[in-house]
Amino acid sequence: MFDDKVLLNSRLRLIRIALMLSMLVLFSGLLYYQVFRSDKYVKLATSNKLRVVRLPARRGRILDANGVLLANNVLTFDIVGYPLDLRKEGILSDFADLLGRHGIPLTEEILEKRIKKQYVVPYRSVVLLRNLTLPQVTDLVGDPEFPPQLFHLPVWRRTYPVGALVCHVLGYVGEISEQELKELGQDGETSRFVGGDVIGKGGVEQFYEDRLQGYPGHKVLEVDARGRFVRILSGRKPVPGEDLSLTLDLGAQKFAADLLGESRGAVIAMDLRSGGLKVLYSNPTFDLNPLAWGVSSKEWRDLVSDPHRPMMNRAISGTYSPGSVYKPVVAYAALADGVVTEKTTFFCSGKFELGNQVFRCHRRWGHGNEDLVGALRDSCDVYFYEVGQRVGIDSLVRWGKVFGIGLKTGIDLPGESEGNIAGRDWKEKRFGDRWYKGDTVNYSIGQGFLLMTPIQILRQFGALATGKLLRPHLFSDAASPPVDLGLSPKFLKVVQKGMAAVVKPKGTGWRAGIYGVSVAGKTGTVQNSGEDHAVFGGYAPAENPRYAVVAFVEEGLHGSTAAAPIVGQLLAYLVKNDEGGSGGASRKGK
């Protein structure tokens, strides 16, 4: 027993000694690199013999579901220098004069501002001039008066091959602002971002900035007293950003744009099996390329002050009264609450009286007796006035939330609005007034205080088609499981029957059903200060839903004529391409 204890103690001492030696070796290594080597770099820096060249990373590409490039990179050249060298008298002035002779109007003051904006340490390079082509940089650097303290650096720049067609999906890249640098905590010498870098501004470019950006590399150089290269002391290669493959189908996107034409509005299409968006188009559009490469202050002001607001993504940020496309939700709420059955009828004379107020139906002479399916088919306002009063605003709000109304969809884009589900509490807080029965009358047909975005309307129709709430997404790897809403299959079937009747020959949305696929949906006309807006939401095939589409046409007057044909044609395109084995599959682009 005694021998065992001695042996154990001996082993423990050996282990302690080994650990101490390991720690000593580690400490010696750290001391060498962090103190002695660091001191060498400090000496080089203080003697003006150290230079650091930052090597930007190639930004990840963005591709559609079929591998078509939506955002790519081209090689350009920057003119770069070091603050240590640029402080020498006359260099910036001479360089500004040289640029002027080559048709590049940059003043010494502008060059000074660029240096100040990018300055971190005196021996780290700063960019004086960007985006030169090979002929331009050859001509400039080949000039005998080109300052020897400057040099050219190849850099990847963003380009958008299909430009405006996908502008609201992609966003664009632009120079990082001082505020963005502060928010990212990027103020050190080894930061991922520095002044002068470009980052995502809106769209997928902004939402997936961390994946697309990549990591810059660098070279640490030693130079002699005259600034001439001696040797490379250390370095790190840049790490390219990640390529992203989207669910978007560029062919379907182009088709939707052609269908909407010059009208302002939005068209969105979603795969009901995954939530992947095949189309997300907002009009008016704008060209991404000038923004990525730089525009003048006047050009920027003209763009942001355009009264038609081309930079607003109407699909996710535009908030509108949904109009009659909200009626299927009211119909389901009435069935689920036991207020009506499929066979319950109300008489429509063309008007509904509430106290001394008169609310009209869109058909002035009325529809006569209407049951639920007929009321959806004919979009009878009076029927839903009656039903809304019986359901009540509290239950309408509760069921609205079930269908995602008043809630952001969670789409992987910045700038999504949540709309406004309104209700008693909201009105009391907003206006200091109580909720009236007349408010419920308007609410029951999707007017009044109720506001939705087109993407929320799309998700609502996805839920009506499948009984599940989907999260719309654009990045193919961002799919999430749908939420089963626990809806009654019996009641849901009745509402679906009514939406299918909308697209039959006698329905208000018959124009959506003449393109070779079975469609179910709902028309809507939205009151507006100018011409009324037009909206239609639907899905296909009606008996086995695979895609949902919403078209919102500002000042389109009637959903039946302006929006329904767009939805019908786009659904036919998607279903037929899906059956043909093209345009529907999402795959990685290489």
Side-chain angles (χ1 to χ4, degrees):
M1 180 67 73
F2 177 77
D3 291 340
D4 290 343
K5 284 186 175 180
V6 171
L7 182 60
L8 179 61
N9 289 333
S10 298
R11 288 177 176 174
L12 288 172
R13 281 196 297 272
L14 288 172
I15 291 171
R16 290 192 189 99
I17 292 170
L19 286 171
M20 290 177 65
L21 288 173
S22 299
M23 292 297 292
L24 182 61
V25 170
L26 179 61
F27 177 75
S28 299
L30 290 172
L31 185 68
Y32 175 73
Y33 284 105
Q34 294 187 9
V35 177
F36 297 112
R37 295 285 294 177
S38 174
D39 185 59
K40 179 182 179 181
Y41 283 169
V42 169
K43 288 180 179 178
L44 286 171
T46 55
S47 62
N48 293 346
K49 292 184 179 180
L50 187 69
R51 300 289 187 271
V52 179
V53 180
R54 192 167 185 270
L55 306 174
R58 177 184 65 80
R59 192 171 180 86
R61 301 175 303 168
I62 304 175
L63 306 96
D64 89 332
N66 300 303
V68 179
L69 278 171
L70 305 177
N72 199 10
N73 306 285
V74 296
L75 193 62
T76 65
F77 297 88
D78 290 350
I79 300 299
V80 180
Y82 301 98
L84 277 171
D85 300 326
L86 298 174
R87 286 173 177 168
K88 296 175 182 177
E89 187 176 352
I91 288 180
L92 289 182
S93 177
D94 292 345
F95 184 52
D97 291 341
L98 175 66
L99 292 175
R101 291 195 296 274
H102 285 264
I104 304 174
L106 283 181
T107 65
E108 182 179 355
E109 290 73 21
I110 292 175
L111 296 173
E112 286 278 9
K113 288 179 180 178
R114 291 184 177 181
I115 295 170
K116 184 179 179 181
K117 190 172 186 179
Q118 301 171 62
Y119 183 88
V120 178
V121 288
Y123 51 83
R124 179 176 288 280
S125 60
V126 294
V127 179
L128 296 178
L129 191 60
R130 299 182 185 277
N131 303 336
L132 295 176
T133 63
L134 181 59
Q136 284 177 316
V137 77
T138 301
D139 183 49
L140 192 61
V141 175
D143 192 302
E145 296 186 24
F146 184 80
Q149 296 85 356
L150 305 181
F151 59 96
H152 64 281
L153 185 70
V155 178
W156 292 103
R157 300 292 184 203
R158 203 55 150 180
T159 183
Y160 301 99
V162 291
L165 184 60
V166 288
C167 61
H168 296 102
V169 173
L170 298 183
Y172 60 97
V173 295
E175 188 171 335
I176 192 168
S177 67
E178 292 184 13
Q179 181 61 34
E180 287 166 333
L181 275 173
K182 290 177 182 177
E183 290 173 355
L184 291 167
Q186 306 289 321
D187 55 0
E189 182 182 342
T190 59
S191 295
R192 187 179 183 185
F193 301 96
V194 298
D197 279 352
V198 295
I199 63 170
K201 307 275 189 175
V204 169
E205 293 276 29
Q206 179 180 335
F207 195 91
Y208 288 108
E209 171 65 28
D210 192 57
R211 303 179 78 144
L212 290 165
Q213 177 63 235
Y215 290 85
H218 69 270
K219 286 182 182 179
V220 181
L221 312 176
E222 182 182 352
V223 298
D224 62 18
R226 299 177 65 181
R228 295 175 301 188
F229 171 76
V230 175
R231 58 177 171 157
I232 298 176
L233 298 173
S234 63
R236 182 184 67 229
K237 291 182 178 180
V239 179
E242 178 184 347
D243 288 351
L244 297 185
S245 182
L246 304 185
T247 61
L248 199 80
D249 182 328
L250 186 62
Q253 180 87 353
K254 176 64 166 60
F255 187 49
D258 290 343
L259 291 172
L260 188 59
E262 297 300 316
S263 299
R264 297 192 304 275
V267 182
I268 328 172
M270 178 170 65
D271 189 328
L272 294 176
R273 295 159 292 189
S274 64
L277 294 177
K278 309 304 291 182
V279 171
L280 194 150
Y281 182 71
S282 176
N283 196 54
T285 61
F286 59 95
D287 190 357
L288 299 168
N289 289 293
L291 293 176
W293 289 65
V295 294
S296 67
S297 298
K298 181 183 183 304
E299 290 172 320
W300 175 254
R301 285 195 304 271
D302 290 344
L303 186 60
V304 297
S305 62
D306 188 321
H308 296 310
R309 305 176 71 186
M311 297 192 74
M312 183 180 78
N313 186 349
R314 285 163 163 78
I316 68 168
S317 301
T319 55
Y320 312 87
S321 295
S324 294
V325 295
Y326 175 69
K327 287 176 180 175
V329 174
V330 179
Y332 183 88
L335 290 167
D337 286 358
V339 169
V340 298
T341 68
E342 181 180 356
K343 297 184 182 301
T344 301
T345 63
F346 294 102
F347 181 78
C348 172
S349 65
K351 64 181 180 179
F352 174 80
E353 296 181 1
L354 181 67
N356 60 357
Q357 290 181 287
V358 177
F359 296 87
R360 299 287 180 180
C361 185
H362 71 89
R363 189 177 189 183
R364 295 296 179 180
W365 57 93
H367 293 96
N369 284 318
E370 289 273 42
D371 60 14
L372 189 145
V373 171
L376 285 171
R377 178 195 64 215
D378 301 331
S379 199
C380 177
D381 294 328
V382 168
Y383 181 94
F384 285 96
Y385 294 152
E386 294 279 5
V387 166
Q389 290 299 306
R390 288 162 174 77
V391 174
I393 186 58
D394 296 331
S395 190
L396 288 175
V397 169
R398 176 170 59 86
W399 281 111
K401 289 180 179 178
V402 169
F403 284 91
I405 298 168
L407 304 170
K408 291 182 179 181
T409 67
I411 184 175
D412 46 349
L413 287 176
E416 182 183 11
S417 299
E418 62 184 16
N420 182 35
I421 200 167
R424 297 181 193 276
D425 294 341
W426 173 84
K427 189 179 180 187
E428 174 66 32
K429 184 177 180 180
R430 179 69 180 271
F431 297 109
D433 197 4
R434 67 186 180 89
W435 190 270
Y436 298 99
K437 289 184 178 181
D439 296 329
T440 305
V441 170
N442 285 324
Y443 199 99
S444 301
I445 62 166
Q447 300 285 175
F449 300 121
L450 178 65
L451 297 174
M452 295 177 69
T453 61
I455 194 78
Q456 287 176 329
I457 297 173
L458 178 73
R459 184 167 66 157
Q460 171 198 297
F461 277 94
L464 290 165
T466 65
K468 299 175 182 179
L469 203 62
L470 291 156
R471 175 179 171 262
H473 63 274
L474 283 159
F475 179 34
S476 57
D477 290 351
S480 57
V483 178
D484 193 322
L485 299 178
L487 302 178
S488 163
K490 176 184 175 182
F491 298 147
L492 194 58
K493 187 176 181 180
V494 175
V495 177
Q496 291 170 346
K497 182 180 177 181
M499 291 191 295
V502 168
V503 189
K504 293 294 191 290
K506 292 184 179 180
T508 57
W510 65 269
R511 290 177 180 84
I514 59 175
Y515 301 101
V517 296
S518 58
V519 176
K522 186 69 190 75
T523 53
T525 299
V526 181
Q527 294 174 5
N528 181 44
S529 57
E531 300 285 1
D532 288 346
H533 300 321
V535 59
F536 187 92
Y539 56 86
E543 63 281 359
N544 181 27
R546 294 204 297 275
Y547 296 101
V549 174
V550 162
F552 198 102
V553 185
E554 292 183 2
E555 300 188 341
L557 292 177
H558 303 293
S560 58
T561 55
I566 295 175
V567 172
Q569 290 178 80
L570 185 54
L571 282 170
Y573 175 97
L574 292 168
V575 171
K576 291 175 181 177
N577 279 359
D578 199 13
E579 291 171 347
S582 65
S586 174
R587 60 184 176 87
K588 290 277 186 180
K590 297 296 183 185

